[in-house]
Amino acid sequence: MAGTISDIKKLEYDIHKYSSYSSSYLPENIREDNPANQTSRWSSNTNTPPQFLILKLERPAIVTRIKFGKYEKTHVCNLRKLKILGGLEEDRMMLLFEGGLRNDSVPETFNLKHRTNSGELLPIKYIQIVPLLSWGPSFNFCIWYVELLGIEDSIFILSNLRKYNMLREIEIVRLFLKHCRQQGYVRAFNALQEETGVRLEDDKMTELHEILVNRGDFKKTEEMLIDFIATGLMDDYLARQEYKPQWSLQLTPENEPRPGRRGGHQLIIDPQTSTIYLYGGWDGNEDLSDLWSYDVRTNRWTLIHERSEQLDGPTPRACHKMVYDTSSSQIFMLGRYLDSMSRTEENINSDFYLYNTVTRTWFQICNDTSQVGGPQLVFDHQMCIDVDKQTIYVFGGRILEPKVSLSLRNEEETTGQYRYSGLFSYHISTNTWTHILVDCGHPSASSPHVESIRSRVTHSMLFHHKHRKLYIFGGQRGKEYMTDFLIYDVDTNELSNMTPEKNNADAKNVPQSGFTQRATIDCEKDEIYVLTSLSKEKERRDLNLNSFWLFSLAKKEWSCVYKSEHSNGENCYQKNQSTCHEPCPRYAHQIVYDSTNQVHFLFGGNPGTNSNVRLDDFWVLRLEKPNRDNILRYCKYLLRKQEYEEITKSDPLAAILYLQTKLYDIIDHSDPVQLKEFHKLASLLFKSDSCTAAGGDGMEPTSLLSHSLSGAAGGNVVCSNASVGSVSAGTVGGGGGGGSKHKQPPSSNDDEDDRKGEANQAKVMRVESPKAATTEEADTSSISSMSSSDCSSSQANSSQSQTKAEQDVTAPSSIVLVKPTSDSNDVVAPGMGSAAAAPDTLGLIATPSTSRGTGTARNRAADQQFELKIRRCLLFNKLVDLLPESLCQPKKNISDFVLL
């Protein structure tokens, strides 16, 4: 039907605005696709930011994709980095895409964000293209051609505009509701909610706020959080946490057998029995043909046999590949490396074997697969198995041919003009091979009826049994290092190129090409793991580092989980390897993934230090994330820490008992970080206000909490929020009684201690403190955005008047939170503030701070209650950040949109 998201067409646009242009390279040139004309482009007259083009559509539309045309050759002015924004108004646009173009002549099309966070289609009228970096860093920016694709059916767009405006209306009401609750406008809050029917937040959050912030019922709050965690409300937050890599050397008893040193061997794993199989390799002197098994559960190696050729098995070999068929408990093996002197007509055959792990017997399927439609003899290829369809896939690798003359061999090595194998499939049940894609260098590749692929060596290939796709990444072809990410759909035979959402052409955010790659996949998590290590190329071996990468198939993003510049010392290849805490860089090693236990196993390899040196170290890599138990302990710690601080104000003896029981029970006393934080909590019992020393009237100390909001050592380390360091100590709730009206700001050393302490607080329970993704989000989640009535008590009774001197005392340079001076009937329990940004960006209504020297006992009690509410608000914000955003109030505040 007309007017659906599937009705994608080319959209017409005009050049609305531009930053600059050079000579005859006008912005209008991007509307014509003329790759042969070097002048058919827009070029800025400088690369000084900001440079931009703003395109205006004829009418609002849903813009789903953008296509960039290119010149017929590579060009230094092509955009290596850019971002694209869009919106209904040119001065209010959101980010739709960020990435870059390859420096080639192939046009590229990118998907644009075209839905709101709630899933509704997002109409826009303006598109802004912002170049950030060209391929020649000192050159101006060029865009050759731009085409916008989307839907502009009038009825369809009008319907979506109504939905979009309705969503905006609801969000505006929620912002007002949040503002009313924060400012204590109870009647306005209730009236607006009743009139519109819009809820500020989920009822669970409202109840949590009431119980924690207003009532201070920590026991009930803890019970609620236990229920939240048990029902999975914090699982999404846990899933977003980064992995923490943990390497450990897997040692076995010295008197038990284990595989010796080698490289170019193969490891595979039977996930059903958690059994690893190892075959062959090169020990530095000769090829091996031994077969081993390793039981993950018992940590024991078993030598199945030492020479498989004596049991009708394969001859000694290295650089072969194996796959495991879980349905038949069989191992399939193909390929091997032969040195030039061994490449005779008799030896150059591509033999194909299987090993039955149940009967422990070998069987030669075929003496030479090239004679039955399969690949020629190859090495450094990749193999995957589709167990459901009983199909094995073989891709890439260098083809070995009979011995050639020395001069021809030297020419091959100099030019890199080797022969590469294409993509093959082998159907196990019918014992048939199919040549799916030929290598682009194959003689038949020039035929229009033959599909081809750029083959390679040292690449990765993985099969996702749920997606039914092969994922191919990286590799090397001749002297070219490849970073492309190919996808082959085994059901539709479609070959495509993966385009990461953040396609930053800087090589820093993808695994380095030209280095040994070992890849695994977790089909349940939709994650690909790649370990890069030492390069085989001698000129690149100075980059001695291991790095472990994760590619999220859901997000289409790379992230580096682990990187280590491990020194390649003697310990790495001598018998005292146990002194190392992580594996040294290497190549010709192997790695497998135990999906049941979610751990990686790495064995052996070549450290690149000596042509005859090989490794036999066996490592385990665990990727850990905080779990429900961790986050429960973290929440309990925050709650009990706050309750302890409140008890210290009224009953120090009870506080000691609470510290020794409730807090002691959830601390891991073997963890130095947790133990240190626990000791700091005890110091709160001995802290006192400095008002007496400053010449005050000898009143009872105002509050321990006012000190913990400042740069003072002690209680601030564990519970204060990341932005609270900017809040002046003596002004929260009035500060010290009778002291100087202007407190000195914290020293830089104090600030540094604050930052270190705040970074440590979440690590106490092995969870990361919630972080705002962008500056904008950070700004909208700052506790400093609360005005003078925020976090005030509904029972607070403050003074009705101030002296002229008090009114003349203004707030210090940093924005502060102060107790309101309004009538007690005008203030109610606070709303959710938040906590994380620089206060000077928030448009806060500043309230003068006042001297407290003449305050009454009633005012001091009100001030302490006010400070207590601030603390509870901060704690509430921390807990809310662990919960789904859909349940909580907006992160933004009305003050974020008010400019005076």
Side-chain angles (χ1 to χ4, degrees):
M1 61 181 275
T4 67
I5 193 60
S6 60
D7 299 332
I8 305 298
K9 57 181 277 188
K10 180 180 176 181
L11 304 176
E12 298 298 326
Y13 64 84
D14 292 321
I15 307 297
H16 179 64
K17 286 184 181 178
Y18 53 86
S19 55
S20 65
Y21 69 90
S22 176
S23 185
S24 60
Y25 306 127
L26 301 174
E28 286 76 11
N29 292 343
I30 69 169
R31 300 176 63 184
E32 295 185 10
D33 189 10
N34 194 351
N37 184 358
Q38 189 177 12
T39 63
S40 181
R41 54 177 163 136
W42 167 71
S43 176
S44 62
N45 67 358
T46 177
N47 59 9
T48 302
Q51 298 298 313
F52 62 87
L53 291 177
I54 298 182
L55 316 181
K56 182 179 179 181
L57 298 172
E58 292 183 345
R59 62 184 66 88
I62 309 296
V63 184
T64 59
R65 295 195 294 271
I66 185 170
K67 177 182 177 181
F68 288 93
K70 299 179 184 177
Y71 184 49
E72 60 185 358
K73 301 177 183 178
T74 61
H75 200 285
V76 292
C77 293
N78 283 340
L79 299 185
R80 188 172 183 176
K81 291 178 64 177
L82 76 155
K83 63 180 180 180
I84 300 172
L85 301 96
L88 288 169
E89 304 169 27
E90 62 177 292
D91 56 346
R92 296 184 67 86
M93 291 194 276
M94 63 184 298
L95 183 66
L96 306 180
F97 174 80
E98 186 170 7
L101 304 177
R102 296 188 298 269
N103 192 19
D104 56 24
S105 60
V106 181
E108 293 185 66
T109 301
F110 301 103
N111 293 325
L112 299 179
K113 178 179 180 180
H114 57 277
R115 291 186 182 273
T116 64
N117 293 335
S118 59
E120 298 293 335
L121 292 171
L122 179 67
I124 60 175
K125 190 172 183 179
Y126 296 90
I127 292 279
Q128 182 174 10
I129 304 174
V130 184
L132 301 174
L133 182 68
S134 59
W135 277 94
S138 59
F139 287 82
N140 296 340
F141 306 120
C142 283
I143 298 178
W144 302 82
Y145 173 69
V146 172
E147 181 177 304
L148 301 178
L149 301 169
I151 181 169
E152 59 177 359
D153 179 82
S154 300
I155 298 178
F156 182 74
I157 298 300
L158 181 60
S159 173
N160 280 277
L161 272 174
R162 287 172 178 166
K163 292 179 182 177
Y164 179 66
N165 287 329
M166 185 179 299
L167 290 174
R168 293 179 64 186
E169 177 84 9
I170 292 173
E171 199 64 17
I172 290 170
V173 173
R174 292 179 70 216
L175 285 170
F176 270 104
L177 288 172
K178 177 182 177 181
H179 183 73
C180 289
R181 187 167 76 169
Q182 287 186 166
Q183 302 304 318
Y185 305 143
V186 179
R187 285 179 294 179
F189 178 92
N190 293 333
L192 182 59
Q193 190 165 252
E194 181 179 355
E195 177 74 17
T196 62
V198 175
R199 306 290 296 178
L200 171 62
E201 61 201 354
D202 188 89
D203 290 342
K204 297 185 183 71
M205 300 300 102
T206 303
E207 184 181 2
L208 181 65
H209 179 273
E210 173 65 24
I211 291 172
L212 173 60
V213 179
N214 294 343
R215 300 183 197 169
D217 189 339
F218 292 96
K219 182 179 179 181
K220 180 64 175 176
T221 303
E222 194 169 300
E223 292 174 356
M224 287 190 67
L225 293 175
I226 292 173
D227 182 64
F228 287 176
I229 294 170
T231 55
L233 287 183
M234 295 189 185
D235 286 356
D236 184 60
Y237 174 79
L238 291 173
R240 296 196 306 269
Q241 301 308 295
E242 296 179 353
Y243 283 113
K244 302 299 181 185
Q246 296 290 336
W247 285 104
S248 60
L249 191 62
Q250 194 78 342
L251 300 175
T252 55
E254 292 185 4
N255 58 344
E256 292 189 0
R258 57 167 290 157
R261 301 167 181 272
R262 66 192 69 202
H265 50 288
Q266 268 292 290
L267 287 183
I268 56 169
I269 187 168
D270 175 3
Q272 296 176 345
T273 63
S274 293
T275 302
I276 296 174
Y277 293 93
L278 180 152
Y279 182 87
W282 171 265
D283 67 359
N285 297 302
E286 61 178 352
D287 283 329
L288 305 171
S289 59
D290 52 347
L291 178 65
W292 294 79
S293 67
Y294 173 79
D295 191 320
V296 173
R297 294 166 296 188
T298 63
N299 186 32
R300 288 182 180 274
W301 284 99
T302 301
L303 176 62
I304 299 175
H305 53 252
E306 190 172 357
R307 295 184 177 278
S308 62
E309 68 273 19
Q310 297 177 357
L311 302 171
D312 298 325
T315 56
R317 63 191 58 205
C319 301
H320 50 292
K321 291 294 180 287
M322 301 193 305
V323 293
Y324 186 83
D325 182 4
T326 55
S327 65
S328 63
S329 300
Q330 292 178 335
I331 298 172
F332 292 84
M333 180 189 299
L334 179 71
R336 67 188 187 277
Y337 175 77
L338 294 174
D339 61 36
S340 58
M341 299 306 296
S342 302
R343 298 176 200 169
T344 63
E345 293 289 349
E346 296 78 17
N347 295 337
I348 209 71
N349 59 304
S350 175
D351 49 7
F352 189 31
Y353 286 88
L354 73 80
Y355 176 78
N356 191 308
T357 62
V358 177
T359 63
R360 296 197 168 193
T361 56
W362 285 98
F363 176 74
Q364 187 181 67
I365 303 173
C366 178
N367 182 55
D368 190 353
T369 56
S370 67
Q371 301 301 312
V372 291
Q376 295 177 261
L377 180 60
V378 292
F379 73 96
D380 274 354
H381 51 297
Q382 289 295 334
M383 285 176 63
C384 293
I385 184 169
D386 176 1
V387 176
D388 296 333
K389 296 295 181 68
Q390 285 290 282
T391 303
I392 295 173
Y393 294 93
V394 182
F395 172 64
R398 262 183 55 194
I399 297 174
L400 291 178
E401 300 179 278
K403 182 173 58 177
V404 296
S405 66
L406 180 62
S407 60
L408 181 57
R409 187 168 74 250
N410 289 339
E411 181 182 351
E412 284 182 346
E413 293 175 352
T414 302
T415 61
Q417 298 300 314
Y418 302 113
R419 292 182 60 208
Y420 297 90
S421 183
L423 176 63
F424 291 82
S425 68
Y426 172 75
H427 192 245
I428 298 173
S429 302
T430 59
N431 190 27
T432 54
W433 285 94
T434 302
H435 199 172
I436 301 174
L437 297 171
V438 304
D439 175 55
C440 60
H442 192 276
S444 65
S446 58
S447 170
H449 306 292
V450 177
E451 293 187 73
S452 64
I453 188 172
R454 294 196 73 207
S455 296
R456 61 208 61 195
V457 294
T458 70
H459 54 293
S460 303
M461 183 172 75
L462 304 160
F463 180 69
H464 196 305
H465 69 271
K466 291 187 175 181
H467 294 178
R468 311 281 307 145
K469 293 176 181 178
L470 291 169
Y471 293 100
I472 302 168
F473 176 76
Q476 184 177 351
R477 185 181 177 93
K479 298 296 182 181
E480 179 186 359
Y481 301 119
M482 308 171 76
T483 58
D484 53 347
F485 200 141
L486 303 177
I487 307 173
Y488 180 76
D489 190 311
V490 299
D491 293 333
T492 65
N493 298 322
E494 179 184 356
L495 181 68
S496 58
N497 201 319
M498 171 79 77
T499 303
E501 293 296 330
K502 296 182 179 179
N503 186 24
N504 190 336
D506 293 337
K508 294 179 180 179
N509 70 329
V510 297
Q512 293 191 69
S513 60
F515 285 74
T516 303
Q517 292 179 9
R518 296 292 181 261
T520 61
I521 189 169
D522 190 318
C523 298
E524 300 300 323
K525 296 181 178 179
D526 278 347
E527 293 177 345
I528 289 175
Y529 312 106
V530 177
L531 174 68
T532 65
S533 196
L534 188 64
S535 175
K536 288 185 176 181
E537 307 300 318
K538 293 182 179 180
E539 68 273 11
R540 295 170 68 87
R541 288 187 191 170
D542 57 325
L543 302 173
N544 284 347
L545 57 88
N546 288 324
S547 60
F548 195 86
W549 296 79
L550 181 150
F551 185 82
S552 170
L553 292 169
K555 298 179 181 178
K556 296 184 180 181
E557 288 180 4
W558 283 105
S559 59
C560 185
V561 176
Y562 158 83
K563 185 173 290 185
S564 172
E565 297 182 3
H566 187 294
S567 61
N568 209 342
E570 293 290 322
N571 291 337
C572 296
Y573 49 88
Q574 298 300 331
K575 287 298 182 183
N576 55 343
Q577 292 159 344
S578 59
T579 59
C580 294
H581 300 293
E582 54 195 9
C584 66
R586 63 193 68 198
Y587 60 89
H589 54 292
Q590 285 299 319
I591 189 169
V592 293
Y593 179 59
D594 181 356
S595 57
T596 303
N597 300 302
Q598 299 186 354
V599 295
H600 285 84
F601 293 89
L602 179 149
F603 184 89
N606 187 338
T609 55
N610 186 298
S611 59
N612 295 323
V613 171
R614 297 297 183 271
L615 304 171
D616 67 347
D617 49 350
F618 190 38
W619 293 87
V620 177
L621 173 63
R622 292 179 173 84
L623 300 178
E624 299 180 346
K625 283 187 176 182
N627 54 34
R628 289 184 178 182
D629 288 339
N630 297 138
I631 204 165
L632 177 58
R633 288 168 62 87
Y634 175 59
C635 292
K636 285 183 176 180
Y637 179 81
L638 293 178
L639 286 172
R640 295 182 185 184
K641 197 269 181 183
Q642 174 63 27
E643 186 174 10
Y644 164 74
E645 285 187 343
E646 294 185 14
I647 296 174
T648 58
K649 294 170 59 63
S650 58
D651 192 344
L653 292 178
I656 294 175
L657 181 62
Y658 190 92
L659 185 67
Q660 293 173 333
T661 54
K662 295 291 188 180
L663 274 168
Y664 185 92
D665 291 343
I666 60 171
I667 293 290
D668 180 359
H669 295 270
S670 63
D671 186 335
V673 176
Q674 295 191 33
L675 192 60
K676 181 179 179 181
E677 300 307 315
F678 181 70
H679 290 161
K680 287 182 178 178
L681 292 178
S683 69
L684 283 178
L685 294 165
F686 307 102
K687 292 179 66 65
S688 61
D689 194 84
S690 57
C691 58
T692 304
D697 57 5
M699 295 184 298
E700 180 184 352
T702 306
S703 174
L704 299 176
L705 302 183
S706 62
H707 286 272
S708 60
L709 278 171
S710 74
N716 68 311
V717 177
V718 180
C719 195
S720 61
N721 191 276
S723 68
V724 179
S726 65
V727 182
S728 181
T731 55
V732 178
S740 173
K741 296 176 183 177
H742 298 279
K743 298 292 184 182
Q744 293 298 320
S747 68
S748 59
N749 290 337
D750 289 336
D751 288 338
E752 183 176 356
D753 290 340
D754 274 354
R755 289 190 293 269
K756 291 179 180 178
E758 289 150 6
N760 283 336
Q761 73 176 18
K763 296 179 182 177
V764 170
M765 293 301 153
R766 299 177 60 212
V767 296
E768 292 298 323
S769 180
K771 300 174 184 177
T774 62
T775 303
E776 182 180 61
E777 291 177 359
D779 288 347
T780 61
S781 62
S782 173
I783 191 68
S784 301
S785 64
M786 295 187 298
S787 72
S788 59
S789 62
D790 293 341
C791 293
S792 57
S793 168
S794 58
Q795 306 299 323
N797 294 312
S798 47
S799 176
Q800 296 293 327
S801 61
Q802 292 178 315
T803 63
K804 182 66 172 66
E806 288 172 336
Q807 295 172 352
D808 290 340
V809 179
T810 57
S813 57
S814 61
I815 295 180
V816 297
L817 301 175
V818 297
K819 189 185 76 63
T821 57
S822 56
D823 187 82
S824 60
N825 294 328
D826 294 331
V827 286
V828 297
M832 293 165 52
S834 32
D840 57 353
T841 65
L842 295 169
L844 173 68
I845 303 174
T847 304
S849 73
T850 59
S851 170
R852 296 289 311 283
T854 60
T856 65
R858 186 176 63 177
N859 286 340
R860 289 198 301 273
D863 288 346
Q864 289 180 351
Q865 183 71 8
F866 171 62
E867 293 172 15
L868 182 147
K869 284 295 185 68
I870 290 178
R871 279 299 190 187
R872 292 178 184 171
C873 277
L874 292 172
L875 174 56
F876 180 75
N877 297 329
K878 287 179 180 292
L879 299 175
V880 164
D881 282 337
L882 305 175
L883 294 163
E885 188 174 341
S886 59
L887 300 181
C888 305
Q889 69 175 39
K891 288 188 175 181
K892 288 183 178 293
N893 300 288
I894 285 183
S895 58
D896 300 326
F897 304 97
V898 177
L899 299 177
L900 298 178

